Amino acid sequence: MGVVVRYVDKNGCVIERFLGVVHVSDTTATSLEKALDYLLSTYDLSISSLRGQGYDGASNMRGEFNGLKSLILKRNSSAYYVHCFAHQLQLTIVAVAKKHKIVRSFYNSISRLCNTVGGSCKRRDILREKQRENIIKEIASDEISTGRGLNQEMSLKRPGDTRWSSHYGTLVNLIHLYSSIVDVLEYVGENGHDDSIRAEADDQILGITHELSQVLQKKDQDIVNAMNLVKVAKSRLQIMREKDWDVLLADVSKFCSKYELDVLDMEDEFVARKKGRRRVEKMKNLHYYRVELFCSVIDLQAQELNQRFDEVNTDLVLCMSCFDPRDLFSAFDLEKLLRLARYYPSEFSEVALSELKSQLENFIFDVRIDEKFSQISGISGLAQKMLPLHQ
């Protein structure tokens, strides 16, 4: 088990250090706890000094009752568990893919498509050559522009299981390489022995997941921006649900027209691709694609965002963000900072809490008129500026 510690030194600098690797006989939470205790004691450190803990999402690490997180919290209630926000967001689209059978089928098809197209050097060469020919044609017909950095070579890489960014990249490249991919599939059909692999992806789902991925594609994952990113994602999902269906349908129709694909009449009766044993309720294409697919996927996505950020973790981040020094401490909120102090009773007694309000009022008045604080960037920069004043 690898252990990394993150701390603030005497100069106010945030330091992160690899502490070491410790052997564990098994991966149960109790064994991990004993191994962690042993390693920390080697450096005269203690669980009681922890003010945070973070692991991956495995149940033996973050389980609510018997995970390592819970065992440590029983000994130290101030060692709050915070799951990496970037990883949380990555897992949302994966969770939807597992829960929604149509989306799951779509991503399975994408994986098979990537394996087929990239299954040999010959196929990759064909994809590269067809891509070059298509770019030359589009340049000649003024469909695309030329210039430095434009029209770079693309490939179709299989998306990773837990990284939504790789899913997003694969889908974007699939859109741009569509005609070249079709050429490779035609080659496989004529020369290969495996004719079972076909791209069964609905263009509608492709458009939806493309938009959802864009919502989660931002990389501003620092403590100040993390919660705002979640709010933005939720708001955009709701706007998409209420207003963007017609825009999506227009984009899909344009795509189909470009590549001479049939466009479904939304008023026709929906026909399932695979006849299952379960009787399918009669409905129009519009209802199926808009309600059963479009709205259903968005609702699942929003639900995952709500479930993956619990109340304490969310509140901790929101309260800490009030120390952001940008724009003359515009994020400062006295009540939130008092609430933050209450999360750490070992540091703030009832007497200290009663004094804290006036201290914070003095603090914000002082730093807003002191030029030394006007150029600070980030909370860590504030710590480095504050500590020398108290030594």
Side-chain angles (χ1 to χ4, degrees):
M1 176 175 64
V3 179
V4 175
V5 292
R6 184 176 176 88
Y7 60 94
V8 179
D9 69 6
K10 62 182 180 181
N11 297 316
C13 298
V14 178
I15 309 295
E16 190 171 273
R17 290 287 183 265
F18 172 69
L19 200 61
V21 175
V22 59
H23 173 74
V24 290
S25 57
D26 56 65
T27 56
T28 61
T30 52
S31 295
L32 297 174
E33 182 187 24
K34 290 178 181 178
L36 183 60
D37 274 332
Y38 171 77
L39 184 62
L40 291 178
S41 64
T42 303
Y43 296 94
D44 294 326
L45 300 174
S46 170
I47 293 290
S48 62
S49 299
L50 289 179
R51 292 299 176 267
Q53 50 176 323
Y55 320 102
D56 62 15
S59 59
N60 62 331
M61 305 301 281
R62 65 183 294 265
E64 289 298 323
F65 301 104
N66 298 313
L68 178 60
K69 171 197 78 171
S70 300
L71 295 179
I72 291 177
L73 280 171
K74 289 176 183 177
R75 298 165 58 184
N76 178 3
S77 61
S78 294
Y80 293 106
Y81 172 81
V82 179
H83 195 151
C84 170
F85 277 84
H87 192 216
Q88 292 276 53
L89 292 178
Q90 290 168 8
L91 291 174
T92 57
I93 198 169
V94 177
V96 171
K98 290 180 178 178
K99 291 181 179 180
H100 199 292
K101 64 179 182 179
I102 301 173
V103 178
R104 182 170 65 246
S105 174
F106 167 70
Y107 279 115
N108 288 338
S109 297
I110 292 297
S111 294
R112 294 200 302 272
L113 178 63
C114 292
N115 289 339
T116 302
V117 174
S120 69
C121 294
K122 178 67 174 177
R123 295 174 192 176
R124 290 193 293 272
D125 288 343
I126 294 174
L127 180 66
R128 189 179 299 111
E129 180 59 28
K130 293 297 181 180
Q131 180 187 357
R132 189 183 70 83
E133 292 176 1
N134 289 332
I135 288 176
I136 292 174
K137 290 179 182 178
E138 290 176 350
I139 291 175
S141 59
D142 293 327
E143 293 182 43
I144 58 176
S145 303
T146 59
R148 177 176 292 183
L150 300 178
N151 309 315
Q152 297 293 307
E153 181 179 304
M154 294 182 178
S155 61
L156 196 63
K157 296 181 180 179
R158 181 174 179 173
D161 289 337
T162 59
R163 297 193 64 84
W164 47 259
S165 56
S166 67
H167 289 77
Y168 174 71
T170 298
L171 295 175
V172 169
N173 284 3
L174 177 58
I175 292 173
H176 289 287
L177 294 173
Y178 184 83
S179 61
S180 301
I181 291 171
V182 170
D183 290 331
V184 175
L185 293 179
E186 289 177 350
Y187 167 83
V188 173
E190 295 172 359
N191 300 278
H193 299 289
D194 184 2
D195 60 355
S196 63
I197 301 178
R198 297 184 54 168
E200 62 185 49
D202 289 314
D203 292 315
Q204 288 84 354
I205 307 174
L206 183 62
I208 294 168
T209 50
H210 170 60
E211 287 294 323
L212 289 176
S213 296
Q214 281 190 316
V215 171
L216 299 176
Q217 190 62 12
K218 296 183 179 179
K219 296 181 180 179
D220 296 331
Q221 300 291 351
D222 61 65
I223 197 169
V224 176
N225 294 320
M227 290 316 303
N228 183 56
L229 175 58
V230 176
K231 288 182 179 179
V232 168
K234 291 178 182 178
S235 298
R236 287 196 61 191
L237 285 170
Q238 187 61 31
I239 292 171
M240 181 194 299
R241 191 185 194 280
E242 296 172 357
K243 300 180 179 180
D244 284 0
W245 165 255
D246 291 334
V247 176
L248 171 64
L249 193 59
D251 289 342
V252 171
S253 299
K254 183 179 178 181
F255 181 89
C256 292
S257 176
K258 179 178 179 180
Y259 296 108
E260 299 180 350
L261 302 173
D262 293 335
V263 181
L264 290 175
D265 188 332
M266 290 292 111
E267 295 302 316
D268 286 350
E269 183 177 323
F270 169 72
V271 179
R273 292 193 174 198
K274 294 182 179 179
K275 300 292 184 179
R277 294 181 180 180
R278 186 171 63 89
R279 186 175 180 180
V280 179
E281 180 183 353
K282 286 187 177 182
M283 66 184 78
K284 291 185 177 182
N285 284 326
L286 179 62
H287 179 86
Y288 174 76
Y289 286 105
R290 183 171 188 172
V291 178
E292 301 290 326
L293 186 57
F294 183 74
C295 292
S296 176
V297 169
I298 291 176
D299 291 343
L300 273 175
Q301 192 78 50
Q303 181 182 357
E304 285 298 319
L305 285 171
N306 287 328
Q307 291 179 349
R308 289 183 180 275
F309 297 90
D310 66 44
E311 185 176 346
V312 172
N313 286 356
T314 299
D315 202 40
L316 278 172
V317 175
L318 287 173
C319 292
M320 290 178 187
S321 68
C322 295
F323 278 121
D324 180 17
R326 288 179 293 188
D327 300 323
L328 293 176
F329 292 82
S330 61
F332 182 86
D333 187 310
L334 181 61
E335 292 304 317
K336 287 182 180 178
L337 289 175
L338 292 173
R339 191 163 72 237
L340 175 64
R342 293 190 183 97
Y343 280 114
Y344 300 96
S346 59
E347 268 75 42
F348 296 94
S349 65
E350 287 300 320
V351 174
L353 284 172
S354 64
E355 298 172 344
L356 185 60
K357 181 177 180 181
S358 61
Q359 292 172 348
L360 287 171
E361 289 172 340
N362 290 337
F363 161 80
I364 193 61
F365 180 83
D366 186 22
V367 295
R368 281 176 172 167
I369 63 174
D370 192 334
E371 291 186 1
K372 294 195 297 292
F373 291 87
S374 62
Q375 302 299 321
I376 297 177
S377 176
I379 297 175
S380 60
L382 175 63
Q384 292 174 51
K385 183 67 71 174
M386 289 292 295
L387 265 181
L389 300 178
H390 294 276
Q391 291 177 347

